[in-house]
Amino acid sequence: MQDEIQEIEAAALAAIKSARDEQELDGARVAFLGKKGRLTGASAGMKNLSKEDKPVIGQLLNAARSAITAALDAKRAGLQDAADRAALAGLDLTLPGRPAHPGGLHPLTRLRDRAVQICRRLGFALAEGPEIETEFHCFDALNTPPEHPARNEKDTFYFDSGKLLRTHTSTVQIRTMEGEAPPVRIIAPGSAYRRDEIDATHLSVFNQLEGLYVDTDVNVGDLKGTLEFFYRALFGEDTEVRFRPHFFPFTEPSFEIDIKLHVKGQAPKWIEVAGCGMVDPAVFESICASRGDDAYHPDKVTGFAFGMGLDRLAMIQWGIRDIRLLIENDARFLRQFA
Ligand code: PHE
């Protein structure tokens, strides 16, 4: 019996060695270790052995089973290894990986969020209004008469319905005062539209941040203090801010605001960043007429308003020379802000 066991083991190891795939290997396993396998068959012969022979042969059978099992495991691992290797053939695993680019907020979004945050610290609440507007909210209610150049066909996108794409966010001033009694202190970030020729500093769709503060005792000092604080919070404590007299139909007095821009290797220069002023009494009168009350009677309330271009602020913040970069979605540009 000893010889038979040795012969079975040798045959099993040879069959395992010559197996070319998992299937042949499994065939060998069944042929030797399976229920009707040769080694299993030999074990059945144990019962005919003498008491003395049993332990010796038992040990031999166990040793043969272990050797065959170990050979099966080793061969299976070897076949798997070869299969993995074949699957990876031609792949260079030493090449550096492709970096994953994390997303990031668009510079305009980042700037708008910061601007809104600063204004909220000053007590301004967010307000909004439609981008498709009536001529009334965009012009008439803002004391802008029909013959004003801003209303020209060449400057404004009109629809056949008589509605238009708002040319500024000042429309939200009107909508807010129509709906809420004073005091109001709101900001309204949003898009505005003009028939501008597109170039490095102009787009036909751009972004503004409107502000309005109306109460019983608001004056030019409040206006200046608020906006100076705003630009210093945004661009740094030593930012120089200048108010230049200007004209807007809906504010009186009106100003344009410049901040001093320092670019390395260039002489500092003033650059315009906003329009502002004290709400014109004619605007309050128009609001009283459309509300049908005198909550905003110009003898009772005063207020200031401002409107600034967010695109330009983003350009200043990051030294962006061409406004078109903000809408072209060029990953090489945007990646710098991720
Ligand atoms: N709406 C003006 C513009 O777009 C800016 C402005 C807003 C001026 C509020 C004064 C008050 O140019």
Side-chain angles (χ1 to χ4, degrees), residues 96-275:
R98 290 194 196 104
H101 292 294
L105 290 179
H106 192 278
L108 209 52
T109 307
R110 279 172 60 175
L111 188 114
R112 186 199 58 204
D113 289 353
R114 275 191 60 214
V116 167
Q117 229 168 32
I118 296 167
C119 292
R120 291 180 77 125
R121 263 159 63 200
L122 290 166
F124 287 84
L126 272 176
E128 60 179 3
E131 292 175 18
I132 297 175
E133 260 296 5
T134 61
E135 279 196 66
F136 175 77
H137 288 96
C138 198
F139 298 125
D140 301 277
L142 285 159
N143 197 32
T144 307
E147 66 278 7
H148 194 279
R151 300 182 68 147
N152 196 296
E153 288 273 338
K154 285 209 189 72
D155 293 313
T156 303
F157 295 102
Y158 288 95
F159 294 102
D160 290 341
S161 63
K163 287 201 169 178
L164 48 82
L165 291 175
R166 67 181 180 195
T167 57
H168 53 183
T169 46
S170 299
T171 54
V172 185
Q173 291 184 38
I174 302 304
R175 292 200 171 264
T176 302
M177 289 190 283
E178 280 176 343
E180 281 169 50
V184 294
R185 199 187 303 183
I186 57 102
I187 46 166
S191 303
Y193 304 81
R194 287 181 202 171
R195 280 184 187 261
D196 276 339
E197 208 63 65
I198 294 175
D199 61 26
T201 52
H202 294 87
L203 293 174
S204 50
V205 185
F206 57 104
N207 297 277
Q208 289 193 322
L209 179 80
E210 192 77 15
L212 173 70
Y213 177 29
V214 181
D215 205 340
T216 48
D217 193 18
V218 182
N219 59 45
V220 178
D222 299 321
L223 165 65
K224 282 194 74 180
T226 301
L227 287 162
E228 279 174 3
F229 176 89
F230 175 84
Y231 288 108
R232 290 187 182 138
L234 191 63
F235 292 130
E237 212 36 60
D238 44 10
T239 303
E240 286 176 77
V241 183
R242 169 173 94 173
F243 289 75
R244 212 167 8 84
H246 195 72
F247 174 80
F248 296 103
F250 37 92
T251 47
E252 179 61 29
S254 303
F255 309 90
E256 276 191 332
I257 306 174
D258 302 330
I259 63 172
K260 203 174 211 173
L261 197 61
H262 300 265
V263 179
K264 251 198 210 135
Q266 282 178 26
K269 60 172 183 237
W270 290 101
I271 129 155
E272 184 227 316
V273 287

Side-chain angles (χ1 to χ4, degrees), residues 21-94:
D21 53 32
E22 296 257 357
Q23 219 177 340
E24 285 185 19
L25 190 64
D26 207 49
R29 182 185 61 77
V30 173
F32 291 94
L33 301 184
K35 261 194 200 146
K36 295 177 184 156
R38 288 188 61 195
L39 196 69
T40 321
S43 309
M46 283 269 282
K47 59 180 183 292
N48 305 322
L49 293 176
S50 66
K51 240 189 191 163
E52 298 81 54
D53 285 348
K54 258 186 191 166
V56 182
I57 297 301
Q59 231 168 31
L60 280 175
L61 280 168
N62 280 342
R65 181 171 286 274
S66 306
I68 296 171
T69 307
L72 280 169
D73 289 348
K75 180 70 180 193
R76 194 172 292 121
L79 285 173
Q80 186 60 53
D81 213 38
D84 289 350
R85 236 179 263 283
L88 292 180
L91 269 188
D92 184 352
L93 297 182
T94 66

